[in-house]
Amino acid sequence: MYTRLVRWIDDRLMVSPLWRDMADHPVPAHVNPSERVSAFVYCFGGVTFLLIIAQFITGMFLAMYYVPDIVNSYNSTKYLMHHVLFGLQLLSMHNWGSSLIIIMVTLHMLRIYWMGVYKKPRELNWLVGVTLLILILAFGFTGYLLPWDEKAYFATQVGVSFAKYVPFIGPALQKILSGGNNIGAATLTRFFAIHVLFLPALLIAFLGLHFLMIRRQGITGPY
Amino acid sequence: MAGKRPQRAGWTRRDFFNWVLNVVMGIIAILVAIPALGVAITPAFQNPAPTWVNLGAATGLQQSSVQAGTGGVGTVVKAPYSYIEVDHWAKLPAADYAYLRYIGGSCQFFILSPICTHLGCHVNWIQADNQFHCPCHGSVYTIDGLNVSGPAPLPLGVFRWKMVGPDVWIARESTFTHAHQRMVEAPAQPCLKEA
């Protein structure tokens, strides 16, 4: 049944070769943890990607209950935690997942740095990678405000205040970030839009570039 | 590396690793899917309790119904009420009205929902015809809320009610008509007074 379905699709679109090209793509022995356990350091980037997929899925379902509005965001989050089946678990997965991503992406960057992977010919991919790191940190910063509790409010107050120390444009930048003179309704909608619309679009685009460049240039080593 | 795969000679190392990979990925997928689906299907298992709202003093309601009727028999009057609507996480001040009639006896009040059972418009009480007319698609109900003409599939809903001190309180349900729903063959004036 399954093979017949695959054959039916392949007769029309020939997708199997594309998939086989990805799934059967050989990796060198030095990056294969089943050959040498220490090669697990090459998995940090892949683990980050898996966690990002999990964040996408949990985030989409969280959005079924979340309202980006100063009157209802706290109440809707509380409702999700206490009155929705597995709501607390889903929220916790998204919450813990964000911390795990930042840990994994930092480890990934440290491996790239220590192994000197950023050197020619991979400078462009290093730049894309640093952009991805900034995007992920922005995800964490904007997502932190969304429950609109005390911790979220004051963490954002502090974070946005950093912006005013930027030379010349600082005060304007702070106002643009918070959508007004202080943290309020406009900040919440702004952060929500950035968190669920702008950043995911940018993240997908840059992840695509990241993976295309890896396929083009291959994996570094062995050392 | 299509074409270079080893011949299927039983359980190879590659097969084993593929199997392990698939199982681990499957477990991760299930762990993500369980809470995600749980959140999505929660509404199917939720049955919110009714909101009890105050219609006002029973003596006043009785008086206005009897005054609107003839010969000491009460007729239908609008009984407006306001309340705090609890919609999941949102709490909003809201207002609506019920159609109340003093029927005497042990049941005292017969309180109808104004929501047409066809598509949810508010029906109008037409005193001259002794009927409720729906302005949207012309459904007609008797004074007891029984559907006699037009597209309405069911009689008007009846509010359960109770006395709290001197006041009449009605149970605003989370159903389509906000009241106890009746079948077509339901009694004309079910007494839904609660002790």
Side-chain angles (χ1 to χ4, degrees):
Chain A
M1 181 63 211
Y2 173 71
T3 43
R4 279 191 59 198
L5 180 68
V6 170
R7 205 179 306 137
W8 190 90
I9 294 171
D10 273 350
D11 280 347
R12 285 150 185 85
L13 296 168
M14 283 300 279
V15 282
S16 267
L18 291 173
W19 166 247
R20 290 262 68 92
D21 182 55
M22 277 192 282
D24 292 344
H25 186 67
V27 290
H30 74 283
V31 302
N32 188 344
S34 69
E35 302 275 339
R36 195 170 54 173
V37 176
S38 66
F40 74 87
V41 294
Y42 288 92
C43 295
F44 293 151
V47 170
T48 310
F49 180 57
L50 275 184
L51 286 167
I52 286 171
I53 291 173
Q55 293 297 90
F56 266 89
I57 295 169
T58 52
M60 286 191 286
F61 282 90
L62 286 178
M64 282 185 175
Y65 281 92
Y66 179 74
V67 194
D69 168 75
I70 54 170
V71 178
N72 286 317
S73 56
Y74 177 77
N75 289 333
S76 63
T77 309
K78 206 164 80 172
Y79 182 88
L80 175 80
M81 288 165 69
H82 297 304
H83 301 293
V84 176
L85 185 67
F86 296 124
L88 178 61
Q89 282 72 17
L90 193 75
L91 191 68
S92 300
M93 283 169 78
H94 200 71
N95 189 350
W96 284 89
S98 69
S99 298
L100 283 177
I101 284 183
I102 288 169
I103 292 168
M104 294 315 297
V105 86
T106 307
L107 291 173
H108 177 57
M109 190 195 69
L110 288 176
R111 177 188 77 80
I112 300 299
Y113 184 73
W114 274 326
M115 288 184 174
V117 183
Y118 53 85
K119 292 171 188 168
K120 191 185 173 189
R122 296 187 177 80
E123 305 98 317
L124 286 173
N125 212 3
W126 167 256
L127 290 179
V128 169
V130 171
T131 309
L132 282 168
L133 176 69
I134 293 167
L135 288 177
I136 283 168
L137 292 176
F139 261 111
F141 181 58
T142 52
Y144 207 80
L145 177 68
L146 301 186
W148 200 250
D149 54 8
E150 292 266 319
K151 193 170 68 166
Y153 185 91
F154 288 104
T156 304
Q157 179 78 272
V158 170
V160 168
S161 298
F162 290 161
K164 82 175 166 221
Y165 295 104
V166 175
F168 308 114
I169 58 163
L173 190 64
Q174 187 189 9
K175 271 180 141 178
I176 290 168
L177 266 180
S178 53
N181 283 331
N182 42 38
I183 310 292
T187 322
L188 188 55
T189 48
R190 193 163 279 239
F191 274 40
F192 179 74
I194 292 170
H195 190 80
V196 306
L197 296 169
F198 291 79
L199 288 177
L202 287 170
L203 189 76
I204 289 168
F206 277 91
L207 278 178
L209 279 177
H210 207 55
F211 296 154
L212 280 175
M213 288 190 199
I214 293 167
R215 271 308 290 272
R216 191 77 180 159
Q217 299 176 320
I219 295 168
T220 48
Y223 299 98
Chain B
M1 288 222 301
K4 274 198 176 180
R5 301 183 71 181
Q7 294 293 308
R8 282 200 164 267
W11 191 236
T12 62
R13 180 184 164 86
R14 168 177 280 246
D15 287 340
F16 172 73
F17 275 110
N18 267 337
W19 183 84
V20 169
L21 193 69
N22 286 337
V23 168
V24 171
M25 295 293 281
I27 291 171
I28 293 172
I30 289 168
L31 285 178
V32 175
I34 287 173
L37 290 178
V39 163
I41 65 173
T42 290
F45 305 105
Q46 280 177 330
N47 209 358
T51 314
W52 285 92
V53 298
N54 191 348
L55 276 194
T59 47
L61 291 168
Q62 180 179 338
Q63 238 171 32
S64 63
S65 179
V66 170
Q67 273 169 9
T70 46
V73 180
T75 190
V76 174
V77 284
K78 248 187 202 183
Y81 61 86
S82 54
Y83 64 108
I84 300 294
E85 185 175 354
V86 180
D87 183 357
H88 295 85
W89 53 83
K91 294 181 180 70
L92 292 165
D96 204 344
Y97 58 86
Y99 281 122
L100 175 137
R101 177 158 58 106
Y102 180 70
I103 55 173
S106 59
C107 211
Q108 286 181 289
F109 293 111
F110 184 64
I111 309 170
L112 284 171
S113 160
I115 308 296
C116 181
T117 54
H118 177 220
L119 290 172
C121 297
H122 280 62
V123 298
N124 295 319
W125 168 245
I126 311 294
Q127 178 86 27
D129 299 344
N130 220 32
Q131 281 176 331
F132 294 99
H133 289 187
C134 181
C136 294
H137 306 96
S139 291
V140 176
Y141 302 85
T142 65
I143 190 168
D144 293 323
L146 299 178
N147 48 322
V148 287
S149 173
L154 289 172
L156 292 174
V158 187
F159 281 113
R160 293 190 288 130
W161 66 278
K162 64 182 176 187
M163 295 296 296
V164 179
D167 292 340
V168 174
W169 287 63
I170 58 172
R172 206 173 184 281
E173 309 278 352
S174 56
T175 52
F176 178 66
T177 58
H178 309 307
H180 172 76
Q181 284 173 306
R182 290 187 286 175
M183 297 298 107
V184 187
E185 60 275 10
Q189 287 179 10
C191 186
L192 297 182
K193 184 182 181 183
E194 294 194 355

